[in-house]
Amino acid sequence: MALPQTSIQQKTADELRRAFQKFFKDRGHTIVPSAPLVPNDPTLLFTTAGMVQFKPYYTAADVPYTRAISIQKCLRLTDVDQVGLTPRHDTFFEMLVNFSFGPLERGAYFKEEAIAFAWEFLTDVLGLPVERLHASIFAGEDQFPRDDEAARLWKKIGLRPDHIVPLGRADNFWGPAGGQGPCGPCSEIYFDLGERPPDELPEGAFWGERPGDPGDRYMEFWNLVFPQYDAEPGGAMKPLPRPGIDTGMGLERLALILQQKTSIFDTDLFKPLVGTVLNLAGLENGSFAKLEAARRAIVVRDARVIADHARALTFATAEGVLPGNEGAGYVLRRLLRRAVLRGRSKQGLAIESPGFFAQVVDVVAGEFGGHYKELAERKARFLTAIAREEEAFNRTCDLGLSLLEELLGKGGKTIRGEDAFELHDTYGFPIELTAEIAAARGVAIDRAGFERAMEQQRSRGRAGSKYTKGGDGKTASGWNEATSGPDSEFIGYTTLDAGGLTLRRWRAHAGDGLELVLDRTPCYAEAGGQVADRGAIRGGGAHAELVHVFKEGESIVHRVRLTEGGAEGLIEAGRTAALHATVEARVRRPTMRHHTATHLLHAALRELLGEHVHQKGSLVAPDRLRFDYTHFEGPGREQLAAIEARVNEWVLDNREVSWSIMPLDRARALGAMALFGEKYGAEVRVVTVAGDEGGPAVSRELCGGTHVARTGDIGAFVLVAESAIASGVRRIEALCGAEGLAHLRAQGELLQRAAGLLQSNPATLPEQIEKLKGELERLRRAAAEAQRGGLEAEMGTLAERAVAGANGRWVGGRAGYRGRSGRGARCRRPAARQAQARRGAARGERGRQAHLHRRGHRRPGGREPPARRRAGARGGAGRRRLGRRQAAPGARRGQGSGQARRGAGRGAAPARRGAGRVSARRGRGAGR
């Protein structure tokens, strides 16, 4: 039946945020800030639901509050291919969430209150018409019964029975996030958008008939989850001791309803972004309307995709995740390149501006910076990172698109795996993008061939690697059991020497080597970036040097080389618990200093460069530390100095370094840093560097390595190098303790040596070096000037020897010599001839002065001429040479002006004695 016309008071997205917070705060809920979009949870790439930060509270014995609300930033990619095609799909979204957990006596609530709160907010606060609201309940499936309680409660508050729809587990059983933790049945709330489909819906497309069907008429916008079960890693479900509430309402969909739109991209959350994209494409309202229908549909889709992906990149990079080749970074790189390809496509937007995506990100930061203050604070940082990533892709984008178009234009039904790999490896096209673009043209990708090409590249990389494990821990066979029982208890946190050790199993290795597994050991196995211990194992009259320690599964394997006695004695001693293991303190203790310093360095980087900094790798050795981290540009000299100073400040504070074993969920709740991709057990070791009294810890990380007891034990921290190792990944190298002091001593000696060579002292070395640099630059300029002057003189000589010839030509050569051809060089340009004539006249005047001077006349200033004899001799030589010259055309002997056709030097002598004026057409005369 047709829906009655109802009016809804429109609200902006910001008004909806405020209304939600006020409503639940008035009902005893604590407002909790959004958890990071990138969670401190190695099982998740991104926060995908509002309850991620509250997961530990559902099973905790104690909780800080029993009612909470938040506006949670979320990012999901399960439906990325649907973005822009439907009115509701997006990747980044804001979730309005309210929760309850803990004991009922402290104010916790369950289904009845959750349903009542939702109904009151929607109908009383927002004024949504009751007749357009529907709800679903869990229909029951497998071992889980139908949720009749929820159905009864919906009827109780006034929802019509025919507006209550039972749905299966795929639709109405939520969680768990990350594959384990709280989960349970849910009840979803739908809003009927009306019988008339939107104009942009393709003809014949399904609009919808009932809640839960594939159509979009019944828009699901609020999910009330009733966590009743705890999912264990193996898949088993057990009842939660105290059930809770977890609800989530999509702000984008709620805005669609309240602003009476048919797509989230028409709401105020997206419309400014979509408009920016269309403007960058030169498609303002008038030109957009002129597009043919097919292209207009592509333009709308692609503009929406770019707007959505710009939101995702903005919020994720603001939290420090940079586009990269793995994990969350790979997701962002894929989204950015997907958006850039959409914008550059000639079939759609055809945006020519090479940095258009960064411009859209800039608009996102402005639109959302009012509520999310971190966007405004970190804008310069993440905008630079995104612009650089876009610029890097632009270098290969056009070439890749041309290749892809060529492949698609062949008319085949499949693109070869080798070609898809070339697009991936050479032009930066993720295989998902290639497959998506090809699928739109009805072409498939040979994924198997692509994977073969990828594996071949990996094999080449492994073959070219300088470091291979050489079988370390790769083969579980070949063990000989000595005794039975548990093995590999690590006791090296508290001791470097242990006796009474029992051998569990052994195997031969490389000649006279052995590999041993003990019941207990003080020897640290290489892990987490920390190198293995060195030391010795002895017993039964045998002594074995510890060559390496590594893990094989959960066992610690000691690789040893016998230096005294035989293997039989060592093995027999192991069977009788008579082995003794010693760790070299000279290796372990500096390693511990470098490991704790690595944690401090990580904390300093996050404090001074931003919380986007995350560890990407490390090396902790006795002689140095190396730390790889995410950052989009090299820190400046002042920043590096501040980082070094901050670490040394914590060292001088002599702060306590402690560790404890706790459940993984509790460690996350405390904010312990975890590395994505690392495998953690149910219980983890947390290393903490104490903060100020009553304040947060300086550092708290999940770490199984060895550390000093107090930061003062580090001694000194010296930062020695910083460099880039990959796009968005940088590396710092540093030294601690004795190694750091040795480095400083060597630097001081080098400074003293340099000062000695310059006969200076270290304090004035910079000024001395600047002075030398200035002198060197002056000498370089003088040399260049001299070289240039020589060339000018040579050119001047050639020009001075040029004489006027027939037909207006200029002929060059010695006086009276016309060359083999009878002609010299020609100077055809009048301006050049005039310039040459002016230079010749000036030089001729200087020559005349010199001639008069040699003839005995005083120069201006009254100076006496040189000896008459020498002047006369030179003058005579000049006259003899001039006698061989030809007169210029039109010249007459005896005129007041003698004119030389060509001059061999500076200042030609007069053609006849007594001439009133001497003029030389060119430079050097004979009277020098």
Side-chain angles (χ1 to χ4, degrees):
M1 72 178 186
L3 290 169
Q5 294 297 317
T6 55
S7 62
I8 300 175
Q9 183 178 1
Q10 295 197 14
K11 291 184 181 293
T12 65
D14 199 48
E15 289 172 337
L16 291 174
R17 292 189 192 103
R18 292 197 299 268
F20 181 82
Q21 288 180 322
K22 182 180 186 306
F23 176 84
F24 282 97
K25 182 180 179 182
D26 291 346
R27 285 151 184 80
H29 291 69
T30 299
I31 298 179
V32 181
S34 171
L37 188 59
V38 183
N40 187 29
D41 185 337
T43 66
L44 296 173
L45 282 174
F46 297 101
T47 297
T48 57
M51 68 106 53
V52 169
Q53 66 172 316
F54 300 106
K55 280 171 63 176
Y57 295 161
Y58 288 92
T59 55
D62 190 23
V63 292
Y65 36 73
T66 58
R67 299 184 179 196
I69 62 164
S70 183
I71 301 176
Q72 177 62 52
K73 299 173 289 185
C74 300
L75 182 59
R76 294 181 193 167
L77 292 118
T78 50
D79 299 313
V80 65
D81 57 333
Q82 295 297 309
V83 173
L85 298 176
T86 74
R88 58 188 172 88
H89 283 105
D90 50 9
T91 56
F92 172 84
F93 56 95
E94 297 175 75
M95 188 71 79
L96 309 178
V97 293
N98 63 287
F99 300 92
S100 179
F101 29 71
L104 296 174
E105 57 270 20
R106 285 185 54 193
Y109 57 88
F110 197 44
K111 290 182 186 179
E112 183 170 7
E113 293 88 343
I115 290 174
F117 285 154
W119 187 258
E120 182 183 1
F121 180 72
L122 294 176
T123 58
D124 292 355
V125 176
L126 300 184
L128 294 183
V130 174
E131 63 275 8
R132 299 179 72 172
L133 293 173
H134 298 253
S136 65
I137 63 165
F138 180 49
E141 193 171 322
D142 299 330
Q143 73 269 36
F144 303 106
R146 174 187 168 101
D147 193 358
D148 291 323
E149 181 185 8
R152 179 181 59 81
L153 292 170
W154 280 117
K155 295 174 185 176
K156 179 181 177 181
I157 62 170
L159 188 62
R160 286 168 39 182
D162 61 335
H163 280 209
I164 301 173
V165 181
L167 298 175
R169 183 169 181 177
D171 296 296
N172 275 88
F173 195 96
W174 190 91
Q180 62 187 66
C183 58
C186 60
S187 184
E188 296 177 320
I189 305 175
Y190 296 81
F191 186 83
D192 186 356
L193 296 177
E195 295 178 351
R196 184 179 183 277
D199 295 335
E200 62 194 48
L201 191 72
E203 186 177 353
F206 182 67
W207 175 228
E209 297 176 350
R210 65 192 295 271
D213 65 20
D216 291 313
R217 170 181 171 177
Y218 294 91
M219 181 68 67
E220 183 265 310
F221 66 98
W222 200 347
N223 191 5
L224 312 183
V225 181
F226 312 124
Q228 300 174 225
Y229 306 99
D230 186 13
E232 297 181 336
M237 296 276 188
K238 63 180 182 181
L240 279 173
R242 289 192 292 264
I245 289 297
D246 161 25
T247 86
M249 176 165 50
L251 177 62
E252 291 78 8
R253 298 185 187 186
L254 184 63
L256 177 153
I257 295 168
L258 267 295
Q259 295 173 22
Q260 301 183 61
K261 305 295 183 181
T262 56
S263 170
I264 61 173
F265 295 100
D266 294 329
T267 68
D268 62 344
L269 290 164
F270 280 98
K271 192 171 183 178
L273 312 181
V274 174
T276 298
V277 176
L278 294 177
N279 287 336
L280 288 169
L283 297 172
E284 292 79 7
N285 292 333
S287 55
F288 175 74
K290 295 177 182 178
L291 296 176
E292 59 183 34
R295 188 181 175 194
R296 191 161 57 243
I298 295 174
V299 164
V300 170
R301 178 202 66 189
D302 291 350
R304 290 175 172 181
V305 168
I306 293 169
D308 171 82
H309 292 5
R311 296 202 329 159
L313 266 293
T314 300
F315 280 89
T317 54
E319 293 191 6
V321 184
L322 302 179
N325 291 327
E326 59 184 21
Y330 178 74
V331 171
L332 297 188
R333 175 163 288 172
R334 176 187 165 193
L335 289 178
L336 184 145
R337 294 183 177 185
R338 189 172 189 264
V340 171
L341 287 174
R342 296 283 190 185
R344 301 286 290 276
S345 174
K346 301 299 182 183
Q347 298 177 349
L349 291 161
I351 299 176
E352 296 181 355
S353 173
F356 78 88
F357 187 73
Q359 296 180 56
V360 182
V361 168
D362 193 10
V363 177
V364 175
E367 290 290 325
F368 291 86
H371 182 76
Y372 297 100
K373 304 299 183 184
E374 68 271 18
L375 297 185
E377 296 168 359
R378 305 168 187 171
K379 174 181 170 181
R381 183 185 302 153
F382 65 74
L383 196 58
T384 299
I386 290 174
R388 288 180 177 176
E389 179 71 14
E390 181 181 7
E391 180 184 1
F393 183 53
N394 281 336
R395 298 191 193 106
T396 59
C397 178
D398 289 337
L399 293 174
L401 279 174
S402 298
L403 175 59
L404 182 55
E405 284 297 328
E406 179 183 335
L407 295 171
L408 293 172
K410 291 180 177 179
K413 293 297 183 183
T414 304
I415 292 179
R416 296 188 315 143
E418 294 84 350
D419 294 328
F421 179 75
E422 182 183 359
L423 283 167
H424 164 82
D425 191 51
T426 305
Y427 302 105
F429 280 46
I431 183 63
E432 297 87 355
L433 289 185
T434 303
E436 183 180 332
I437 296 171
R441 308 270 284 273
V443 179
I445 301 292
D446 177 12
R447 296 297 288 260
F450 174 84
E451 292 300 333
R452 284 194 300 271
M454 179 69 81
E455 183 56 36
Q456 289 171 5
Q457 186 195 52
R458 293 192 187 105
S459 298
R460 289 191 295 269
R462 287 192 292 266
S465 175
K466 294 182 178 179
Y467 172 75
T468 58
K469 289 192 173 182
D472 288 1
K474 293 295 183 183
T475 304
S477 61
W479 286 109
N480 301 285
E481 184 173 324
T483 61
S484 60
D487 64 74
S488 303
E489 178 189 353
F490 181 65
I491 57 176
Y493 292 130
T494 56
T495 183
L496 300 182
D497 188 271
L501 305 178
T502 300
L503 178 65
R504 293 301 188 207
R505 54 187 180 273
W506 63 276
R507 65 187 174 194
H509 175 78
D512 61 347
L514 290 174
E515 291 183 342
L516 315 173
V517 175
L518 310 177
D519 64 333
R520 298 169 294 121
T521 179
C523 307
Y524 183 82
E526 183 178 34
Q530 181 174 329
V531 300
D533 280 334
R534 291 299 181 92
I537 296 177
R538 63 184 187 273
H543 186 280
E545 177 188 358
L546 192 61
V547 176
H548 190 40
V549 189
F550 59 92
K551 279 199 168 186
E552 186 175 281
E554 296 300 317
S555 298
I556 297 175
V557 180
H558 307 71
R559 180 174 295 164
V560 299
R561 180 171 55 84
L562 288 165
T563 57
E564 295 180 15
E568 297 81 5
L570 192 69
I571 294 169
E572 187 57 36
R575 288 194 178 99
T576 59
L579 289 179
H580 195 104
T582 303
V583 174
E584 289 187 15
R586 65 181 182 85
V587 174
R588 167 71 81 79
R589 286 184 179 137
T591 302
M592 293 162 62
R593 286 194 288 266
H594 283 107
H595 203 153
T596 305
T598 300
H599 285 213
L600 295 181
L601 173 61
H602 192 186
L605 288 168
R606 288 176 60 83
E607 177 182 304
L608 297 174
L609 298 186
E611 293 186 359
H612 66 281
V613 170
H614 292 282
Q615 179 177 344
K616 298 297 288 184
S618 67
L619 170 68
V620 178
D623 59 336
R624 70 192 187 282
L625 72 84
R626 188 180 69 212
F627 187 77
D628 301 340
Y629 64 102
T630 56
H631 193 48
F632 49 83
E633 64 183 357
R637 184 183 304 174
E638 295 79 6
Q639 288 178 306
L640 291 174
I643 291 165
E644 183 182 64
R646 191 66 173 123
V647 173
N648 279 306
E649 180 183 338
W650 288 327
V651 170
L652 292 174
D653 288 344
N654 199 27
R655 296 172 182 269
E656 180 186 13
V657 181
S658 60
W659 59 270
S660 58
I661 304 295
M662 65 180 68
L664 179 59
D665 284 346
R666 175 166 170 72
R668 291 179 191 149
L670 289 173
M673 295 290 293
L675 290 180
F676 182 81
E678 285 288 321
K679 301 294 185 182
Y680 297 105
E683 291 195 328
V684 293
R685 183 172 184 261
V686 179
V687 176
T688 302
V689 179
D692 296 330
E693 186 175 353
V698 167
S699 168
R700 181 175 282 121
E701 297 192 25
L702 304 186
C703 179
T706 60
H707 291 267
V708 297
R710 303 192 73 87
T711 58
D713 299 337
I714 294 171
F717 175 84
V718 182
L719 200 155
V720 297
E722 200 284 339
S723 60
I725 61 170
S727 176
V729 182
R730 307 197 63 83
R731 171 173 291 172
I732 279 182
E733 298 177 63
L735 305 173
C736 296
E739 289 71 23
L741 293 175
H743 174 79
L744 293 176
R745 190 179 303 111
Q747 293 294 100
E749 291 173 356
L750 186 64
L751 196 63
Q752 289 287 355
R753 183 183 174 192
L757 291 173
L758 293 177
Q759 297 181 351
S760 178
N761 61 72
T764 59
L765 262 184
E767 291 80 1
Q768 285 288 93
I769 292 172
E770 288 295 330
K771 184 177 179 182
L772 286 175
K773 284 173 62 179
E775 182 65 19
L776 181 61
E777 183 61 29
R778 188 188 67 77
L779 291 174
R780 284 175 178 164
R781 286 198 302 268
E785 186 68 27
Q787 184 179 17
R788 186 164 57 251
L791 290 173
E792 289 178 353
E794 183 66 23
M795 294 300 295
T797 300
L798 293 174
E800 290 160 7
R801 291 176 179 175
V803 295
N807 300 322
R809 295 176 177 175
W810 288 77
V811 183
R814 294 192 301 271
Y817 177 70
R818 304 181 67 83
R820 282 185 185 176
S821 65
R823 292 187 302 175
R826 293 182 295 176
C827 186
R828 295 177 178 174
R829 292 180 296 173
R833 289 198 298 270
Q834 292 173 8
Q836 289 172 349
R838 286 194 298 270
R839 288 196 296 270
R843 291 181 181 120
E845 178 62 21
R846 290 196 297 271
R848 187 178 74 84
Q849 293 291 342
H851 176 72
L852 293 175
H853 180 62
R854 284 190 292 272
R855 295 292 301 270
H857 299 283
R858 290 178 180 269
R859 287 182 176 180
R863 289 181 296 173
E864 289 295 330
R868 294 285 300 273
R869 179 178 56 80
R870 189 174 62 189
R874 291 183 178 176
R879 288 193 298 275
R880 285 194 295 274
R881 283 191 287 272
L882 283 171
R884 295 195 295 270
R885 298 175 183 171
Q886 299 177 1
R892 296 290 185 269
R893 298 177 68 85
Q895 288 180 341
S897 175
Q899 196 172 45
R901 182 175 301 221
R902 288 186 295 274
R906 183 174 287 121
R912 294 184 57 186
R913 287 182 185 274
R917 183 170 60 89
V918 178
S919 175
R921 189 180 296 271
R922 296 293 178 267
R924 292 186 178 87
R928 184 174 178 176

